[in-house]
């Protein structure tokens, strides 16, 4: 049976071979920048690539994709990420490492609580309109401090600085219909998942994202990262994504 990282290694080797061939032919940096991997060209392929990368990460077989000097120089000419990720700023959630992706493959927006705000929304619209990404992922994570803060009594929230209060209040609507869960860890997981679903619904209501998804250009999904295991659970089906 082939190792889990064999396919990723083969893809990287093939890309390097094509770049070297182009250099030998006297290709310009623009020509080299146009050499793209062909296996991540649809939303479904993008989802599978993230799943495969995370499987390598949590199983201890990460390839940590590195670029040759020529590939890095070619990046100057432009970027071609296949997925945009709205993730939390938590230092324990290094997005590219979690999905075992290299330079230029992911377009990442990070903000506490992975909340949808003006700057983040504009950044995602840029990725869709100008970078031709195939996938938008909202990723929450285990033990999210921002979600925990949103579960506090209002008088505790009011003690926080103004802008932090505003961020927390972007999460609170997702927690209004929380079921009664006695287990603290299970309750926290459900709260984070509720927030992911809520933020996904906000994104899908935005015209640029709604039109791109309706046209089949992108899919918008959710994800939950377990810090302890390193595994990502994907929320792909409509039933999983319903707030």
């Amino acid at each position: 049976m082939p190792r889990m990282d064999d396919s990723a290694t083969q893809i990287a080797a093939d890309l390097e071979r094509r770049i070297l061939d182009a250099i030998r032919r006297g290709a310009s940096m623009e020509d080299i920048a146009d050499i793209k991997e062909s296996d991540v060209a649809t939303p479904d392929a993008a989802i599978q690539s993230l799943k495969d990368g995370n499987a390598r990460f949590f199983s201890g077989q990460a390839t940590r994709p590195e670029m040759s000097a020529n590939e890095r120089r070619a990046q100057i000419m432009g970027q071609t990420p296949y997925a945009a990720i709205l993730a939390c700023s938590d230092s324990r959630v290094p997005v590219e490492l979690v999905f075992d992706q290299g330079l230029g493959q992911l377009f990442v927006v990070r903000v506490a609580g992975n909340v949808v705000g003006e700057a983040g929304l504009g950044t995602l619209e840029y990725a869709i309109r100008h970078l031709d990404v195939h996938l938008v992922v909202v990723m929450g994570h285990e033990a999210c401090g921002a979600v925990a803060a949103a579960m506090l009594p209002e008088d505790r929230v009011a003690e926080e600085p103004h802008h932090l209060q505003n961020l927390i209040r972007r999460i609170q609507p997702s927690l209004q219909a929380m079921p009664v869960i006695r287990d603290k860890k299970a309750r926290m997981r459900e709260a984070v998942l509720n927030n992911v679903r809520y933020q996904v619904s906000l994104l899908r209501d935005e015209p640029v994202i709604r039109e791109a998804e309706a046209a089949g250009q992108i899919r918008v999904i959710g994800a939950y990262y377990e810090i302890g295991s390193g595994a990502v659970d994907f929320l792909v089906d409509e039933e999983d994504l319903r707030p």
Side-chain angles (χ1 to χ4, degrees):
M1 180 178 293
R3 286 170 52 84
M4 189 177 296
D5 60 348
D6 281 352
S7 60
T9 301
Q10 182 57 47
I11 289 170
D14 180 64
L15 182 61
E16 174 67 6
R17 177 187 56 77
R18 287 186 286 136
I19 289 173
L20 289 174
D21 288 345
I23 292 171
R24 293 188 186 103
R25 295 195 306 270
S28 66
M29 285 296 108
E30 289 89 344
D31 294 330
I32 295 173
D34 285 337
I35 300 175
K36 303 179 180 68
E37 296 180 46
S38 60
D39 64 320
V40 188
T42 67
D44 286 345
I47 294 171
Q48 191 60 52
S49 181
L50 293 182
K51 287 182 175 181
D52 291 344
N54 179 244
R56 295 192 299 271
F57 172 74
F58 77 73
S59 65
Q61 299 183 45
T63 59
R64 296 290 188 270
E66 297 293 341
M67 285 188 164
S68 67
N70 289 317
E71 289 176 282
R72 289 196 303 273
R73 293 186 188 108
Q75 292 269 307
I76 296 172
M77 307 311 303
Q79 57 175 318
T80 56
Y82 66 82
I85 317 287
L86 173 58
C88 184
S89 297
D90 194 295
S91 61
R92 301 165 294 176
V93 190
V95 178
E96 287 85 355
L97 297 183
V98 166
F99 291 113
D100 196 30
Q101 300 296 304
L103 298 175
Q105 293 180 299
L106 301 181
F107 193 77
V108 181
V109 181
R110 298 186 65 175
V111 60
N114 42 273
V115 300
V116 175
E118 285 295 318
L121 181 58
T123 303
L124 293 174
E125 289 179 343
Y126 173 78
I128 293 168
R129 282 287 179 89
H130 299 287
L131 300 180
D132 195 30
V133 297
H134 307 298
L135 183 68
V136 175
V137 184
V138 177
M139 187 170 76
H141 67 91
E142 181 180 13
C144 179
V147 173
M151 300 171 74
L152 293 173
E154 182 58 32
D155 60 333
R156 292 282 303 280
V157 174
E159 295 174 357
E160 299 293 350
H162 172 71
H163 295 295
L164 179 53
Q165 287 185 43
N166 289 342
L167 185 146
I168 291 171
R169 291 195 171 99
R170 290 180 181 271
I171 299 172
Q172 286 176 328
S174 70
L175 308 179
Q176 291 176 352
M178 277 280 293
V180 177
I181 303 174
R182 295 183 64 181
D183 182 87
K184 291 182 179 180
K185 185 175 181 179
R187 182 168 67 249
M188 188 64 199
R189 176 185 171 90
E190 189 65 21
V192 171
L193 287 170
N194 276 9
N195 182 50
V196 167
R197 295 184 180 105
Y198 176 66
Q199 304 301 330
V200 167
S201 70
L202 292 180
L203 287 181
R204 296 177 92 181
D205 280 342
E206 292 293 331
V208 171
I209 295 175
R210 184 173 63 245
E211 292 167 10
E213 192 169 30
Q217 175 190 343
I218 65 166
R219 288 183 68 180
V220 184
I221 67 171
Y224 176 86
Y225 173 59
E226 292 184 346
I227 293 174
S229 70
V232 174
D233 292 332
F234 289 83
L235 286 66
V236 177
D237 299 334
E238 289 301 316
E239 181 63 25
D240 291 336
L241 291 169
R242 187 169 59 198

PDB file of all heavy atoms in Angstrom, residues 140-165:
ATOM      1  N   GLY A 140     -13.635  26.938  12.811  1.00  0.00           N
ATOM      2  CA  GLY A 140     -13.533  27.162  14.240  1.00  0.00           C
ATOM      3  C   GLY A 140     -12.612  26.118  14.850  1.00  0.00           C
ATOM      4  O   GLY A 140     -12.093  25.240  14.153  1.00  0.00           O
ATOM      5  N   HIS A 141     -12.443  26.194  16.156  1.00  0.00           N
ATOM      6  CA  HIS A 141     -11.522  25.242  16.770  1.00  0.00           C
ATOM      7  C   HIS A 141     -11.862  24.981  18.227  1.00  0.00           C
ATOM      8  O   HIS A 141     -12.582  25.758  18.874  1.00  0.00           O
ATOM      9  CB  HIS A 141     -10.077  25.767  16.679  1.00  0.00           C
ATOM     10  CG  HIS A 141      -9.828  26.997  17.498  1.00  0.00           C
ATOM     11  ND1 HIS A 141      -9.387  26.951  18.814  1.00  0.00           N
ATOM     12  CD2 HIS A 141      -9.968  28.317  17.207  1.00  0.00           C
ATOM     13  CE1 HIS A 141      -9.261  28.183  19.273  1.00  0.00           C
ATOM     14  NE2 HIS A 141      -9.608  29.031  18.326  1.00  0.00           N
ATOM     15  N   GLU A 142     -11.359  23.884  18.713  1.00  0.00           N
ATOM     16  CA  GLU A 142     -11.519  23.481  20.101  1.00  0.00           C
ATOM     17  C   GLU A 142     -11.010  24.580  21.046  1.00  0.00           C
ATOM     18  O   GLU A 142     -10.000  25.218  20.777  1.00  0.00           O
ATOM     19  CB  GLU A 142     -10.713  22.192  20.308  1.00  0.00           C
ATOM     20  CG  GLU A 142     -10.774  21.594  21.693  1.00  0.00           C
ATOM     21  CD  GLU A 142      -9.947  20.328  21.796  1.00  0.00           C
ATOM     22  OE1 GLU A 142      -9.144  20.045  20.877  1.00  0.00           O
ATOM     23  OE2 GLU A 142     -10.105  19.618  22.805  1.00  0.00           O
ATOM     24  N   ALA A 143     -11.754  24.797  22.140  1.00  0.00           N
ATOM     25  CA  ALA A 143     -11.341  25.726  23.195  1.00  0.00           C
ATOM     26  C   ALA A 143     -11.126  27.150  22.686  1.00  0.00           C
ATOM     27  O   ALA A 143     -10.164  27.814  23.048  1.00  0.00           O
ATOM     28  CB  ALA A 143     -10.074  25.219  23.889  1.00  0.00           C
ATOM     29  N   CYS A 144     -12.048  27.635  21.861  1.00  0.00           N
ATOM     30  CA  CYS A 144     -11.931  28.990  21.314  1.00  0.00           C
ATOM     31  C   CYS A 144     -12.272  30.024  22.394  1.00  0.00           C
ATOM     32  O   CYS A 144     -13.385  30.052  22.925  1.00  0.00           O
ATOM     33  CB  CYS A 144     -12.865  29.162  20.120  1.00  0.00           C
ATOM     34  SG  CYS A 144     -12.820  30.815  19.389  1.00  0.00           S
ATOM     35  N   GLY A 145     -11.317  30.883  22.698  1.00  0.00           N
ATOM     36  CA  GLY A 145     -11.515  31.882  23.734  1.00  0.00           C
ATOM     37  C   GLY A 145     -12.574  32.908  23.389  1.00  0.00           C
ATOM     38  O   GLY A 145     -13.308  33.382  24.276  1.00  0.00           O
ATOM     39  N   ALA A 146     -12.674  33.280  22.121  1.00  0.00           N
ATOM     40  CA  ALA A 146     -13.663  34.271  21.714  1.00  0.00           C
ATOM     41  C   ALA A 146     -15.077  33.733  21.883  1.00  0.00           C
ATOM     42  O   ALA A 146     -15.985  34.447  22.338  1.00  0.00           O
ATOM     43  CB  ALA A 146     -13.426  34.689  20.262  1.00  0.00           C
ATOM     44  N   VAL A 147     -15.283  32.465  21.540  1.00  0.00           N
ATOM     45  CA  VAL A 147     -16.602  31.857  21.719  1.00  0.00           C
ATOM     46  C   VAL A 147     -16.907  31.706  23.207  1.00  0.00           C
ATOM     47  O   VAL A 147     -18.039  31.949  23.647  1.00  0.00           O
ATOM     48  CB  VAL A 147     -16.679  30.492  21.003  1.00  0.00           C
ATOM     49  CG1 VAL A 147     -17.992  29.775  21.333  1.00  0.00           C
ATOM     50  CG2 VAL A 147     -16.559  30.682  19.488  1.00  0.00           C
ATOM     51  N   ALA A 148     -15.912  31.334  23.995  1.00  0.00           N
ATOM     52  CA  ALA A 148     -16.106  31.237  25.444  1.00  0.00           C
ATOM     53  C   ALA A 148     -16.515  32.587  26.024  1.00  0.00           C
ATOM     54  O   ALA A 148     -17.386  32.666  26.903  1.00  0.00           O
ATOM     55  CB  ALA A 148     -14.833  30.732  26.104  1.00  0.00           C
ATOM     56  N   ALA A 149     -15.912  33.669  25.534  1.00  0.00           N
ATOM     57  CA  ALA A 149     -16.261  35.006  26.004  1.00  0.00           C
ATOM     58  C   ALA A 149     -17.700  35.360  25.656  1.00  0.00           C
ATOM     59  O   ALA A 149     -18.397  36.034  26.424  1.00  0.00           O
ATOM     60  CB  ALA A 149     -15.301  36.033  25.413  1.00  0.00           C
ATOM     61  N   ALA A 150     -18.154  34.901  24.487  1.00  0.00           N
ATOM     62  CA  ALA A 150     -19.522  35.183  24.055  1.00  0.00           C
ATOM     63  C   ALA A 150     -20.560  34.449  24.906  1.00  0.00           C
ATOM     64  O   ALA A 150     -21.745  34.795  24.875  1.00  0.00           O
ATOM     65  CB  ALA A 150     -19.698  34.808  22.579  1.00  0.00           C
ATOM     66  N   MET A 151     -20.113  33.460  25.659  1.00  0.00           N
ATOM     67  CA  MET A 151     -21.017  32.700  26.525  1.00  0.00           C
ATOM     68  C   MET A 151     -21.094  33.295  27.927  1.00  0.00           C
ATOM     69  O   MET A 151     -21.871  32.826  28.760  1.00  0.00           O
ATOM     70  CB  MET A 151     -20.550  31.244  26.593  1.00  0.00           C
ATOM     71  CG  MET A 151     -20.535  30.551  25.243  1.00  0.00           C
ATOM     72  SD  MET A 151     -19.730  28.918  25.281  1.00  0.00           S
ATOM     73  CE  MET A 151     -20.982  27.952  26.131  1.00  0.00           C
ATOM     74  N   LEU A 152     -20.318  34.338  28.212  1.00  0.00           N
ATOM     75  CA  LEU A 152     -20.305  34.959  29.522  1.00  0.00           C
ATOM     76  C   LEU A 152     -21.538  35.846  29.728  1.00  0.00           C
ATOM     77  O   LEU A 152     -22.143  36.315  28.755  1.00  0.00           O
ATOM     78  CB  LEU A 152     -19.045  35.805  29.685  1.00  0.00           C
ATOM     79  CG  LEU A 152     -17.706  35.059  29.724  1.00  0.00           C
ATOM     80  CD1 LEU A 152     -16.560  36.063  29.707  1.00  0.00           C
ATOM     81  CD2 LEU A 152     -17.624  34.155  30.950  1.00  0.00           C
ATOM     82  N   PRO A 153     -21.891  36.145  30.975  1.00  0.00           N
ATOM     83  CA  PRO A 153     -22.988  37.084  31.248  1.00  0.00           C
ATOM     84  C   PRO A 153     -22.663  38.460  30.672  1.00  0.00           C
ATOM     85  O   PRO A 153     -21.496  38.838  30.534  1.00  0.00           O
ATOM     86  CB  PRO A 153     -23.046  37.125  32.781  1.00  0.00           C
ATOM     87  CG  PRO A 153     -22.383  35.866  33.232  1.00  0.00           C
ATOM     88  CD  PRO A 153     -21.337  35.560  32.217  1.00  0.00           C
ATOM     89  N   GLU A 154     -23.689  39.211  30.353  1.00  0.00           N
ATOM     90  CA  GLU A 154     -23.503  40.499  29.701  1.00  0.00           C
ATOM     91  C   GLU A 154     -22.662  41.457  30.532  1.00  0.00           C
ATOM     92  O   GLU A 154     -21.890  42.246  29.981  1.00  0.00           O
ATOM     93  CB  GLU A 154     -24.866  41.131  29.398  1.00  0.00           C
ATOM     94  CG  GLU A 154     -24.796  42.473  28.679  1.00  0.00           C
ATOM     95  CD  GLU A 154     -24.042  42.393  27.354  1.00  0.00           C
ATOM     96  OE1 GLU A 154     -24.088  41.327  26.690  1.00  0.00           O
ATOM     97  OE2 GLU A 154     -23.395  43.402  26.989  1.00  0.00           O
ATOM     98  N   ASP A 155     -22.783  41.412  31.865  1.00  0.00           N
ATOM     99  CA  ASP A 155     -21.996  42.332  32.675  1.00  0.00           C
ATOM    100  C   ASP A 155     -20.502  42.042  32.571  1.00  0.00           C
ATOM    101  O   ASP A 155     -19.667  42.947  32.666  1.00  0.00           O
ATOM    102  CB  ASP A 155     -22.450  42.293  34.141  1.00  0.00           C
ATOM    103  CG  ASP A 155     -22.297  40.908  34.763  1.00  0.00           C
ATOM    104  OD1 ASP A 155     -22.348  39.904  34.025  1.00  0.00           O
ATOM    105  OD2 ASP A 155     -22.134  40.831  35.994  1.00  0.00           O
ATOM    106  N   ARG A 156     -20.148  40.770  32.323  1.00  0.00           N
ATOM    107  CA  ARG A 156     -18.745  40.416  32.129  1.00  0.00           C
ATOM    108  C   ARG A 156     -18.259  40.892  30.762  1.00  0.00           C
ATOM    109  O   ARG A 156     -17.135  41.383  30.628  1.00  0.00           O
ATOM    110  CB  ARG A 156     -18.565  38.901  32.249  1.00  0.00           C
ATOM    111  CG  ARG A 156     -18.798  38.334  33.627  1.00  0.00           C
ATOM    112  CD  ARG A 156     -17.609  38.583  34.529  1.00  0.00           C
ATOM    113  NE  ARG A 156     -16.379  38.039  33.968  1.00  0.00           N
ATOM    114  CZ  ARG A 156     -16.041  36.740  34.040  1.00  0.00           C
ATOM    115  NH1 ARG A 156     -16.843  35.870  34.661  1.00  0.00           N
ATOM    116  NH2 ARG A 156     -14.900  36.332  33.515  1.00  0.00           N
ATOM    117  N   VAL A 157     -19.103  40.747  29.758  1.00  0.00           N
ATOM    118  CA  VAL A 157     -18.742  41.207  28.414  1.00  0.00           C
ATOM    119  C   VAL A 157     -18.538  42.718  28.416  1.00  0.00           C
ATOM    120  O   VAL A 157     -17.624  43.252  27.776  1.00  0.00           O
ATOM    121  CB  VAL A 157     -19.822  40.812  27.381  1.00  0.00           C
ATOM    122  CG1 VAL A 157     -19.512  41.426  26.012  1.00  0.00           C
ATOM    123  CG2 VAL A 157     -19.946  39.292  27.273  1.00  0.00           C
ATOM    124  N   ALA A 158     -19.377  43.428  29.167  1.00  0.00           N
ATOM    125  CA  ALA A 158     -19.306  44.895  29.225  1.00  0.00           C
ATOM    126  C   ALA A 158     -18.013  45.402  29.844  1.00  0.00           C
ATOM    127  O   ALA A 158     -17.668  46.583  29.689  1.00  0.00           O
ATOM    128  CB  ALA A 158     -20.511  45.442  29.993  1.00  0.00           C
ATOM    129  N   GLU A 159     -17.283  44.535  30.512  1.00  0.00           N
ATOM    130  CA  GLU A 159     -16.008  44.931  31.109  1.00  0.00           C
ATOM    131  C   GLU A 159     -14.875  44.971  30.088  1.00  0.00           C
ATOM    132  O   GLU A 159     -13.810  45.527  30.355  1.00  0.00           O
ATOM    133  CB  GLU A 159     -15.636  43.950  32.232  1.00  0.00           C
ATOM    134  CG  GLU A 159     -16.595  43.967  33.412  1.00  0.00           C
ATOM    135  CD  GLU A 159     -16.261  42.880  34.421  1.00  0.00           C
ATOM    136  OE1 GLU A 159     -15.311  42.091  34.167  1.00  0.00           O
ATOM    137  OE2 GLU A 159     -16.949  42.810  35.456  1.00  0.00           O
ATOM    138  N   GLU A 160     -15.093  44.383  28.920  1.00  0.00           N
ATOM    139  CA  GLU A 160     -14.046  44.308  27.905  1.00  0.00           C
ATOM    140  C   GLU A 160     -13.940  45.624  27.129  1.00  0.00           C
ATOM    141  O   GLU A 160     -14.884  46.417  27.084  1.00  0.00           O
ATOM    142  CB  GLU A 160     -14.340  43.162  26.933  1.00  0.00           C
ATOM    143  CG  GLU A 160     -14.388  41.782  27.577  1.00  0.00           C
ATOM    144  CD  GLU A 160     -13.040  41.330  28.103  1.00  0.00           C
ATOM    145  OE1 GLU A 160     -12.018  41.995  27.814  1.00  0.00           O
ATOM    146  OE2 GLU A 160     -12.990  40.307  28.813  1.00  0.00           O
ATOM    147  N   PRO A 161     -12.796  45.864  26.459  1.00  0.00           N
ATOM    148  CA  PRO A 161     -12.647  47.067  25.631  1.00  0.00           C
ATOM    149  C   PRO A 161     -13.708  47.108  24.523  1.00  0.00           C
ATOM    150  O   PRO A 161     -14.245  46.074  24.110  1.00  0.00           O
ATOM    151  CB  PRO A 161     -11.238  46.914  25.044  1.00  0.00           C
ATOM    152  CG  PRO A 161     -10.527  45.999  25.991  1.00  0.00           C
ATOM    153  CD  PRO A 161     -11.566  45.059  26.505  1.00  0.00           C
ATOM    154  N   HIS A 162     -13.953  48.292  24.037  1.00  0.00           N
ATOM    155  CA  HIS A 162     -15.049  48.534  23.087  1.00  0.00           C
ATOM    156  C   HIS A 162     -14.985  47.626  21.862  1.00  0.00           C
ATOM    157  O   HIS A 162     -15.986  46.976  21.500  1.00  0.00           O
ATOM    158  CB  HIS A 162     -15.018  50.004  22.655  1.00  0.00           C
ATOM    159  CG  HIS A 162     -15.977  50.326  21.554  1.00  0.00           C
ATOM    160  ND1 HIS A 162     -17.342  50.363  21.717  1.00  0.00           N
ATOM    161  CD2 HIS A 162     -15.737  50.608  20.231  1.00  0.00           C
ATOM    162  CE1 HIS A 162     -17.920  50.661  20.563  1.00  0.00           C
ATOM    163  NE2 HIS A 162     -16.981  50.822  19.654  1.00  0.00           N
ATOM    164  N   HIS A 163     -13.844  47.579  21.208  1.00  0.00           N
ATOM    165  CA  HIS A 163     -13.763  46.805  19.968  1.00  0.00           C
ATOM    166  C   HIS A 163     -13.870  45.308  20.236  1.00  0.00           C
ATOM    167  O   HIS A 163     -14.437  44.562  19.416  1.00  0.00           O
ATOM    168  CB  HIS A 163     -12.462  47.115  19.226  1.00  0.00           C
ATOM    169  CG  HIS A 163     -12.389  48.534  18.743  1.00  0.00           C
ATOM    170  ND1 HIS A 163     -13.246  49.041  17.777  1.00  0.00           N
ATOM    171  CD2 HIS A 163     -11.583  49.564  19.111  1.00  0.00           C
ATOM    172  CE1 HIS A 163     -12.961  50.318  17.561  1.00  0.00           C
ATOM    173  NE2 HIS A 163     -11.966  50.658  18.361  1.00  0.00           N
ATOM    174  N   LEU A 164     -13.350  44.869  21.360  1.00  0.00           N
ATOM    175  CA  LEU A 164     -13.484  43.457  21.718  1.00  0.00           C
ATOM    176  C   LEU A 164     -14.941  43.119  22.009  1.00  0.00           C
ATOM    177  O   LEU A 164     -15.430  42.038  21.645  1.00  0.00           O
ATOM    178  CB  LEU A 164     -12.595  43.131  22.916  1.00  0.00           C
ATOM    179  CG  LEU A 164     -12.635  41.685  23.422  1.00  0.00           C
ATOM    180  CD1 LEU A 164     -12.360  40.699  22.285  1.00  0.00           C
ATOM    181  CD2 LEU A 164     -11.624  41.497  24.551  1.00  0.00           C
ATOM    182  N   GLN A 165     -15.656  44.032  22.645  1.00  0.00           N
ATOM    183  CA  GLN A 165     -17.091  43.817  22.862  1.00  0.00           C
ATOM    184  C   GLN A 165     -17.813  43.642  21.527  1.00  0.00           C
ATOM    185  O   GLN A 165     -18.668  42.753  21.379  1.00  0.00           O
ATOM    186  CB  GLN A 165     -17.700  45.015  23.607  1.00  0.00           C
ATOM    187  CG  GLN A 165     -17.342  45.106  25.064  1.00  0.00           C
ATOM    188  CD  GLN A 165     -18.097  46.246  25.738  1.00  0.00           C
ATOM    189  OE1 GLN A 165     -19.301  46.433  25.509  1.00  0.00           O
ATOM    190  NE2 GLN A 165     -17.403  47.012  26.571  1.00  0.00           N
TER     191      GLN A 165
END
